[in-house]
Amino acid sequence: VRSGETWGNRTITAPADLNGVVRIAGNVKNVTVENLKVDGAYRVIENVKTGATVDHFVIRNVHATNIRRGLLRIGNDSSGVLEDS
């Protein structure tokens, strides 16, 4: 995803070893992930770059089944992350 982007409105069947259907590969802000259905994957939302920051990130209406690890992992110096189901 990129800053200022809304990502979603889709249904995805993913391989069980996919780490990050939605991948954060750099500093991002003002991103929304919404209306997303995922079946399979290791993790749905993954911050894949060491040191990347996430600011004002909204997760809304995301449904995941058969996930091996968890819905999301956002680390580093991140703030303003809102999960609204």
Side-chain angles (χ1 to χ4, degrees), residues 15-45:
D17 62 346
L18 180 63
N19 190 13
V21 173
V22 177
R23 298 171 63 87
I24 302 165
N27 297 337
V28 295
K29 62 181 177 179
N30 301 321
V31 173
T32 300
V33 175
E34 63 184 349
N35 302 321
L36 179 65
K37 292 181 182 179
V38 176
D39 182 49
Y42 183 80
R43 188 174 283 118
V44 177
I45 301 169

Side-chain angles (χ1 to χ4, degrees), residues 3-84:
S3 290
E5 185 174 34
T6 298
W7 201 93
N9 296 316
R10 59 189 84 187
T11 299
I12 296 170
T13 301
D17 62 346
L18 180 63
N19 190 13
V21 173
V22 177
R23 298 171 63 87
I24 302 165
N27 297 337
V28 295
K29 62 181 177 179
N30 301 321
V31 173
T32 300
V33 175
E34 63 184 349
N35 302 321
L36 179 65
K37 292 181 182 179
V38 176
D39 182 49
Y42 183 80
R43 188 174 283 118
V44 177
I45 301 169
E46 175 68 37
N47 187 349
V48 297
K49 182 169 179 172
T50 302
T53 61
V54 177
D55 188 25
H56 296 95
F57 190 88
V58 176
I59 303 156
R60 181 181 298 122
N61 195 27
V62 174
H63 300 275
T65 56
N66 300 313
I67 303 302
R68 288 184 50 207
R69 187 65 174 175
L71 179 67
L72 71 120
R73 179 169 67 174
I74 297 175
N76 306 309
D77 186 22
S78 300
S79 64
V81 177
L82 170 68
E83 183 273 326
D84 178 18

